Amino acid sequence: MARKTIKVDYLARVEGEGALTVVVRDGKVRETQLRIFEPPRFFEAFLRGRAYTEAPDITARICGICPVAYQMSSVNAMEDAFGVTVDGPLRELRRLIYCGEWIESHTLHIYMLHAPDFLGYEGAIDLARDHPDIVKRGLALKKTGNALMTLTGGREVHPINVRVGGFYKAPRKRDLVAMADEVKRARDMALETVRWTAGFDFPDGERDYEFVALTHPHEYPFNEGRIVSNKGLDISVRDYNDHFVESHVAHSHALHAHIRQRGAYLVGPLARFALSFEKLSPLAREVATEAGIAPVCRNPYQSIVVRAVEVLYSCDEALRIIENYEEPDRPFVPVEPRAAIGHGASEAPRGMLYHRYRLDDDGTILEAQIVPPTSQNQPSVEEDLKVLIDGWLDLPDDELRHRCEQTVRNYDPCISCATHFLDLRIDRG
Amino acid sequence: MGSAGFLRVIGIGHRDRADDAVGRLLADRLRERAPPGVEVVDTDGEAARLLDLIAGVDHVVIVDAALSGAGPGTIRRFDAVARPLPRTAFAASTHAIGLADAIELARALDQLPAHCIVYAIEGSSFELGQPLSPAVATAIDETIALVLDEVRVTAV
């Protein structure tokens, strides 16, 4: 094999910025390095000295694509610290706002960022020229997600209505009911999306992942559950740091997360789907089975189908919540701060997002820890590349580079939570 | 998203990223001075949301930070209907698909307004947690005047 280095300045269609290097020696992938910079580190420092009440709004600014996830993990952690339980309609509203975020974020990734890989397009613009109706369907579906977020969150980009203990203002029943028809139409579009993506041609690439996700006895997970894996892990969110470790690696500004004494693990749609398949709505289960991915999908390229199934589920779940909603007596549960440590996790579109706060007796934040899904998945992305790309080294550089990019995009890496421009280098020695 | 107006001014940016905040700060200040019939909005620059804001009005004026190698505070005007934006000038977006893509997506879907003007203000720092650089802060007033002229001409 020729000795050369391939350098690409920019990896397109990944949220944010980062860099990837693939090192090839003697026809084998020796090393893969994903380097990202992490705004959460900046925000962890920024949160120190702030009031606990500010955490939902400040952390929501970390990411324009998944602000709800940051808000939810932060309120879960604060409520854990102060011994507050949020249930009934308020808990349902938190699931509803999360449905909106999953619909919005997943649909953006499916239509704008990932589908072009499977259909031979440079990007969404070329796809839109040839298939305007498909792109319009994606945009309409995404808009329903936005509308659900605005309904409960007050604003779609950085929802301002979320607070520790609940919401500043609860939506009226009639406002929710008024959205039901739009969500039903979105569900039809989601169904078409599952069937559309299931028909793509997927590279082979089954991997024996350790799937990690929140797992709840009765629900597909958003905001609550134990941290469970398919390889025996079953712990309380409070014990996260006893079982997971974040470490600095020389090549990245980001911390890489591992399960202690075990290594890489996978969070996100594939993990949730594998661990909670039976808790999906009947329609979502049926469609996933018809798509040939049920009950476990180990091919990361098929994550696009799993995302589509989760969009369908989110529409179903939103409809269930809208139909059963009863306006709460008050929009929040009273909160009394105390000196404590609080842990919170929720399922961001890209996977589990863990927050931990140490708080003073008046609720001042003394210490914050934020572990985004993208940094948890980094070691898995590197392993995927190492394992899968070995078989493709004979491909011309352009195609190989495209496969690498596609493999990174499988994770929908939210590098805006995590990084700057993704710069791809293939070093062949 | 607010009601659809005949004319919409869109400020794009990230409030925590130094000069990247310029579009949104401009929108904050313009909002108080905007003539009737002109809607002023600000957004983070994600393409699908931008597409929603661009489509459905006759005339949009967009203000965003740019990173092209020009001097900090340099103001440039682009007519996006006449030709695509130079992609390299808008490298500041942290989104997978940003302003230039949103405009091309609107064009591909036949949703580009009859008039689509983009003002780019050259930034020098895009670091998280840093303030606006002085040259960019100064450029805000000048750009507001240019945008108001644009709006008045269109309104006539």
Side-chain angles (χ1 to χ4, degrees), chain B residues 49-68:
Chain B
R49 280 196 281 267
L50 259 176
L51 185 65
D52 266 350
L53 291 172
I54 291 171
V57 284
D58 299 324
H59 192 129
V60 290
V61 180
I62 299 169
V63 182
D64 195 5
L67 185 59
S68 68

Side-chain angles (χ1 to χ4, degrees), chain A residues 114-258:
Chain A
H114 210 192
D117 277 337
F118 298 97
L119 300 171
Y121 290 101
E122 274 288 304
I125 297 158
D126 300 324
L127 179 62
R129 281 191 196 110
D130 284 0
H131 301 284
D133 292 341
I134 286 178
V135 171
K136 282 179 184 166
R137 180 177 70 199
L139 290 167
L141 183 52
K142 180 179 180 290
K143 211 169 173 175
T144 301
N146 291 356
L148 285 170
M149 284 170 74
T150 309
L151 186 64
T152 34
R155 253 181 15 195
E156 69 192 48
V157 181
H158 293 155
I160 48 171
N161 190 32
V162 173
R163 57 172 284 172
V164 179
F167 294 87
Y168 287 99
K169 189 166 174 285
R172 305 302 306 265
K173 171 80 177 175
R174 63 168 181 268
D175 295 332
L176 261 61
V177 170
M179 272 218 60
D181 284 342
E182 181 180 343
V183 179
K184 282 179 190 157
R185 285 193 295 275
R187 183 172 60 184
D188 292 341
M189 291 187 273
L191 184 62
E192 290 166 26
T193 306
V194 177
R195 291 179 175 150
W196 176 57
T197 55
F200 293 170
D201 191 15
F202 298 102
D204 293 331
E206 295 244 321
R207 292 246 290 120
D208 181 23
Y209 295 107
E210 177 154 7
F211 293 126
V212 173
L214 288 180
T215 303
H216 185 277
H218 312 298
E219 297 169 336
Y220 204 74
F222 281 121
N223 255 319
E224 190 181 326
R226 289 173 67 76
I227 299 174
V228 170
S229 89
N230 59 328
K231 299 199 174 178
L233 189 79
D234 185 352
I235 60 167
S236 156
V237 171
R238 289 183 179 183
D239 297 330
Y240 178 88
N241 281 326
D242 295 339
H243 295 268
F244 294 85
V245 60
E246 286 184 286
S247 57
H248 282 285
V249 289
H251 64 259
S252 180
H253 285 232
L255 295 172
H256 278 204
H258 290 90

